[in-house]
Amino acid sequence: MDIYSRFGLRPVVNVSGTMTSLGASIVAAPVIEAMAAILPQFVQIDDLQRKASAVIAQACGSESGYITASCSAAITLGIAATMTGDDPGLIERLPDTTGLRNEVVVQTGHLVNYGAPIDQAIRLAGARVVPIGAATESHGYQLSAAINERTTAALYVVSHHTVQFGLIQLEEFIAAAHAKGVPVIVDAASEYDLKRFIAAGADLVLYSAHKFLGGPTAGIVAGKKTLVRAAYFQNGGIGRGMKVGKEGIAGAIAALEQWQQRDHAAVRARERAYLKLWHEALNGRPGVRAEIDADPTGNPLDRLKLSIDSREARISAWDLADALANPPAGSVPAIVRDHEAELNFFFVDPCNLHPGQEQIVLQRLLAELERAQHAPQPLVTPFFQRDARRVAARRNWPD
Ligand SMILES: *Cc1c(COP(=O)(O)O)cnc(C)c1O
């Protein structure tokens, strides 16, 4: 029995990217095997994490590494490590940071929400967030001025969620923090490049195992040995509630190994073929402009950007996204990448499709566009009501 029938769930086609709310990514077969193999066995977790450290070191070019529950956990535990070092007394005292350096500097344009606010991941350790600059502008001198004898770490976020212009670039950020003796933690949760940030001089770099790597839900911490060790030791403190099991560690190790062997060119070629198919079929339909758009943080991944002129298409970008997600009975929901829908576009992301689903996505898009053309009334709801509608729809969970 397939998993949808077993749990009574509706299948979903994911063209939004790697979203926790949809189950993150397609876990690669060797990863599933590694997880299944370790589940019935006992191991010394320290030894398994020692193995993880070696694999991470090799994959990321770092001194060492370890696996935790998620990238969000890694942020909290990495910050904690900078405050306590390897002192078990201090580790057990968190989140009480009385007398410790406890300020974390971060650019205001990096204060994102990836499903939860990133500043909360910092505060969970007992640290205080010190924002630098304005939402759309910050400078090296502001970072230098914000660092004082209470500063414990500087956090840098690499993500499409951040403001993409006007902020301090990584190299300048690292130089300014290191000039004042402050370690730099890079949140690179969704980045393909495992080596770039360590090579640039970051002290800790954090990835999600369950995003591009196609691993299980887990976080990967890579970096300087003293800091990685101090972060790992948080498992005897605030890290306990963020623990990863043997299957998560084994799966993350396997994900790192298969990532380095994966035929990235073949994956890219397949994704490009999907984009070409969609572009040719959709561009120039009434009210629809399709463009192939490069990933904003430089990952080797393109997406189809669909701009909707609601007068000609007779449906708005957000109503089209909602219609795709909530189709009539008998059709499969397709979840598009619509976090900028109020600007009258959304993206169709090819990176998490099973073979054949590219056709389902296309047929669903064509069907909804066609339906809008022939509907008695155009479907253009006020955008300002959309968020409230979505919040209300979720409120009665689990009913
Ligand atoms: C997804 C994401 C996170 C959280 O990662 P999890 O591993 O899902 O906890 C943190 N930061 C950024 C930039 C992200 O995109």
Side-chain angles (χ1 to χ4, degrees), residues 20 70-72 75 114 157-159 161 187 189-190 208 210-211 218:
T20 288
S70 64
C71 187
S72 195
I75 295 168
Y114 44 71
V157 183
V158 186
S159 167
H161 291 297
D187 170 3
S190 260
S208 294
H210 48 274
K211 292 186 178 170

